[in-house]
């Protein structure tokens, strides 16, 4: 199922996540509500321990939740079986990690085409789409290079290409500039903003960088597992 123009892409309703260690319980998400619209660029900020990464992990279905529900493109993520949820993630979501998470023995094109191969795209088509996406992120000439032959900024651009190559509805980015210097971080954010505008995917990113947070179309601030502020800085694409 896909969303229509006036339907939200993602709806989180009273989402609760509790971590239990022995006799201790830590409420990481406290009946949190959030709606994300198609095409939005949403930055999530807050102090360490406020629940930002937990939010991304729960809304993407990487982690289970203890209460509430998450609807992605109208489907209840946690009403699915593990297999259905994994398949839904592969079709509808992309991920950008701080640590890149590229496979070291694969070159850039092979890393980018991997999500396509996993959902059954024929090898030739997957390679063509991977090379085209690398071109969009400015790495057309680096397709045959392995991660250890690329700079940190280039590796993160490969990660972004991999996240976007399957045309997901939403991309989750956890501190995507955290391992980059300020110049590289600015380039990566410019790229994410441009791709968000050109490709139309929603991007939800966690950041500690005030400049990045305040340059997003929407800034969500968390504290103690709750949303304490939600500022729209540009109209959502609906």
């Amino acid at each position: 199922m896909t969303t229509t123009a006036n339907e939200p892409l993602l709806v989180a309703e009273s989402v609760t996540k509790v971590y239990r260690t022995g006799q201790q319980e830590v409420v990481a998400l406290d009946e949190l509500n959030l709606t994300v619209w198609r095409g939005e660029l949403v930055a999530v900020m807050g102090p360490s321990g406020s629940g930002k990464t937990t939010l991304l992990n729960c809304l993407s279905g990487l982690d289970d939740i203890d209460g509430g529900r998450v609807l992605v493109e109208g489907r209840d993520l946690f009403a699915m079986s593990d297999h259905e949820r994994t398949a839904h993630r592969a079709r509808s979501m992309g991920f950008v990690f701080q640590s890149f998470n590229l496979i070291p023995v694969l070159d850039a094109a092979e890393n980018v085409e991997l999500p396509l191969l996993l959902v059954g795209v024929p090898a030739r088509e997957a390679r063509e789409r991977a090379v085209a996406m690398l071109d969009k992120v400015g790495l057309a000439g680096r397709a045959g290079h392995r991660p250890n032959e690329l700079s940190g900024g280039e590796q993160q651009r490969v990660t972004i290409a991999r996240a976007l190559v399957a045309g997901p509805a939403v991309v989750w980015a956890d501190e995507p500039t955290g391992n980059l210097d300020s110049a590289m971080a600015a380039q990566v954010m410019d790229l994410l903003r441009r791709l968000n505008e050109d490709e139309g995917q929603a991007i939800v990113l966690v950041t500690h960088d005030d400049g990045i947070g305040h340059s997003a179309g929407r800034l969500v601030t968390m504290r103690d597992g709750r949303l304490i502020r939600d500022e729209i800085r540009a109209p959502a694409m609906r």
Side-chain angles (χ1 to χ4, degrees), residues 62-118:
L62 290 174
D63 280 355
D64 289 330
I65 61 176
D66 294 289
R69 65 176 187 162
V70 178
L71 303 176
V72 180
E73 296 188 302
R75 298 190 62 190
D76 188 338
L77 206 56
F78 294 98
M80 302 177 190
S81 67
D82 288 343
H83 175 74
E84 288 173 329
R85 190 155 62 240
T86 298
H88 188 64
R89 260 200 311 273
R91 290 191 307 271
S92 299
M93 301 180 187
F95 294 85
V96 179
F97 301 99
Q98 179 179 351
S99 56
F100 312 142
N101 284 11
L102 298 173
I103 298 174
V105 298
L106 301 182
D107 64 29
E110 289 167 336
N111 269 282
V112 173
E113 72 185 2
L114 189 58
L116 299 175
L117 297 174
L118 291 175

Side-chain angles (χ1 to χ4, degrees), residues 3 9 12 15 24 47 66-67 79-80 84 89 92 97 119 132 136-137 142 150 166 170 220-221 223-224 230 232:
T3 56
L9 171 64
V15 173
Q24 281 192 320
D66 294 289
M80 302 177 190
E84 288 173 329
R89 260 200 311 273
S92 299
F97 301 99
V119 296
K136 284 187 178 181
V137 302
R142 309 289 275 171
L150 302 172
V170 59
V220 170
T221 305
R223 186 179 297 276
D224 299 327
D230 189 348
I232 302 295

Side-chain angles (χ1 to χ4, degrees), residues 156-207:
Q156 193 59 297
R157 280 189 276 167
V158 174
T159 302
I160 292 167
R162 182 182 61 188
L164 290 169
V165 72
V170 59
V171 173
W172 308 101
D174 192 359
E175 296 284 2
T177 63
N179 282 338
L180 305 176
D181 62 33
S182 57
M184 285 290 186
Q187 291 179 22
V188 166
M189 279 310 302
D190 285 345
L191 173 63
L192 282 173
R193 279 189 286 268
R194 176 169 59 81
L195 292 171
N196 168 249
E197 293 171 0
D198 294 348
E199 305 296 323
Q201 284 96 354
I203 298 176
V204 181
L205 66 91
V206 161
T207 183

